[in-house]
Amino acid sequence: MSQIAINTSQNVNINFTTASVGERMLAFIIDLLIKVAYAVVSLYLFFSVFDLGYILTGLDQWSQMAIYIAITFPIYVYPVVLESLMEGQTPGKKAMKIRVVKIDGYQASFGDYLIRWVFRLIDTSFAGVVGLISMIISKNNQRLGDIASGTAVISLKNNINISHTILENIHQDYVPSFPQVIALSDNDIRIIKDNYTKALKIDDRQVISKLSDKIKSILKLDVDAVKLTERQFINVIIKDYNYYTGKDK
């Protein structure tokens, strides 16, 4: 397994271990078994339980194919739907503890998952040989869909989960100051906290100042209205996010 340095919007590199070809293949097999099980159950219900096979009688080949596609439709959209709902994972990926992420450090969007799904038609051609070769020769074990969408699949094993790095202890009577933080994501707070922690260690006041200004700009806060030092402000932002999202619970 290789390392991938994800460059965040604050120009900080965070190293992750890319998922190996073996891990991705095992995740694919687990997902495939789930899809096969769905197909078997749905067709069994259609033909045996509900006895709807008569519907196909007298239909031409294309009409029959359309009905089969309708019955098994969830199988075709399985990857893009579940990756969107499970933040870059499918049951197979979750079992293998791997996840799809953007190389720029942000959470992948539905559009990114959709691009990966569209390119899956190419990646799985020739019994998956195209995607396999792409993962082997690419720098970050990326298949064509990953390259096109600017994503990579990372391993979460032996690493702190992305959301864990944003945890902050806050008292039950804590009163938040900036409700605007709900516009941020777990990834945004992780990046903020990672930058801030590193800057504190070396007392890099310039980075702290730029980070504070960046947060105020993103949240559209009036700079003059924030009556806190830059360090106090960043601390409050992190705690406010934990308060509103319940990350400490």
Side-chain angles (χ1 to χ4, degrees), residues 101-105 112 115-116 142 144-152:
V101 297
K102 288 285 286 183
I103 292 180
D104 62 10
D112 299 316
I115 292 173
R116 296 181 79 254
Q142 295 169 290
L144 296 180
D146 292 317
I147 297 172
S149 60
T151 61

Side-chain angles (χ1 to χ4, degrees), residues 176-192:
S177 304
F178 303 103
Q180 295 93 331
V181 296
I182 61 175
L184 301 175
S185 67
D186 280 8
N187 244 8
D188 295 330
I189 295 297
R190 173 181 59 80
I191 292 169
I192 290 170

Side-chain angles (χ1 to χ4, degrees), residues 26-75:
L26 286 174
F28 175 80
I29 291 172
I30 292 172
D31 288 328
L32 179 62
L33 291 175
I34 293 174
K35 289 185 281 189
V36 169
Y38 170 82
V40 171
V41 171
S42 60
L43 291 174
Y44 174 77
L45 291 174
F46 183 83
F47 287 103
S48 299
V49 177
F50 299 112
D51 195 23
L52 297 175
Y54 68 89
I55 296 176
L56 301 175
T57 304
L59 295 179
D60 59 55
Q61 183 179 359
W62 292 106
S63 298
Q64 291 182 359
M65 186 179 298
I67 291 177
Y68 280 117
I69 290 175
I71 295 172
T72 58
F73 182 72
I75 292 175

Side-chain angles (χ1 to χ4, degrees), residues 8-210:
T8 69
S9 58
Q10 282 76 31
N11 200 32
V12 173
N13 286 333
I14 301 177
N15 292 320
F16 291 100
T17 301
T18 57
S20 67
V21 175
E23 286 175 323
R24 295 186 66 169
M25 288 184 67
L26 286 174
F28 175 80
I29 291 172
I30 292 172
D31 288 328
L32 179 62
L33 291 175
I34 293 174
K35 289 185 281 189
V36 169
Y38 170 82
V40 171
V41 171
S42 60
L43 291 174
Y44 174 77
L45 291 174
F46 183 83
F47 287 103
S48 299
V49 177
F50 299 112
D51 195 23
L52 297 175
Y54 68 89
I55 296 176
L56 301 175
T57 304
L59 295 179
D60 59 55
Q61 183 179 359
W62 292 106
S63 298
Q64 291 182 359
M65 186 179 298
I67 291 177
Y68 280 117
I69 290 175
I71 295 172
T72 58
F73 182 72
I75 292 175
Y76 308 120
V77 296
Y78 176 98
V80 65
V81 171
L82 290 184
E83 284 178 355
S84 299
L85 295 176
M86 298 174 65
E87 297 185 342
Q89 291 183 302
T90 59
K93 288 186 177 68
K94 191 173 184 66
M96 295 306 301
K97 296 183 179 179
I98 61 178
R99 171 176 291 164
V100 178
V101 297
K102 288 285 286 183
I103 292 180
D104 62 10
Y106 284 99
Q107 176 68 46
S109 66
F110 175 77
D112 299 316
Y113 300 131
L114 184 62
I115 292 173
R116 296 181 79 254
W117 178 71
V118 171
F119 272 82
R120 186 178 294 270
L121 296 174
I122 302 175
D123 286 318
T124 56
S125 58
F126 300 102
V129 172
V130 174
L132 181 61
I133 292 176
S134 177
M135 285 190 287
I136 292 174
I137 66 176
S138 63
K139 179 181 178 182
N140 297 315
N141 294 347
Q142 295 169 290
R143 61 178 179 83
L144 296 180
D146 292 317
I147 297 172
S149 60
T151 61
V153 181
I154 62 170
S155 173
L156 302 177
K157 296 176 183 176
N158 301 320
N159 285 305
I160 298 175
N161 188 288
I162 288 177
S163 63
H164 288 176
T165 62
I166 68 174
L167 296 179
E168 282 288 320
N169 290 322
I170 55 177
H171 297 293
Q172 291 184 345
D173 58 352
Y174 179 80
V175 179
S177 304
F178 303 103
Q180 295 93 331
V181 296
I182 61 175
L184 301 175
S185 67
D186 280 8
N187 244 8
D188 295 330
I189 295 297
R190 173 181 59 80
I191 292 169
I192 290 170
K193 187 172 182 179
D194 183 78
N195 277 285
Y196 181 55
T197 302
K198 289 180 179 179
L200 284 179
K201 288 181 179 179
I202 58 175
D203 194 26
D204 192 331
R205 299 179 184 181
Q206 186 176 9
V207 169
I208 293 175
S209 179
K210 288 183 177 179

Side-chain angles (χ1 to χ4, degrees), residues 211-230:
L211 184 58
S212 175
D213 291 341
K214 182 70 174 180
I215 296 171
K216 292 172 185 175
S217 174
I218 293 174
L219 299 182
K220 296 180 173 58
L221 297 175
D222 184 351
V223 177
D224 296 328
V226 178
K227 305 300 182 182
L228 296 170
T229 66
E230 292 170 336

Side-chain angles (χ1 to χ4, degrees), residues 227-246:
K227 305 300 182 182
L228 296 170
T229 66
E230 292 170 336
R231 301 188 184 202
Q232 289 174 334
F233 171 68
I234 297 173
N235 277 321
V236 169
I237 287 295
I238 296 173
K239 288 184 177 181
D240 280 5
Y241 185 84
N242 278 265
Y243 175 87
Y244 283 113
T245 60

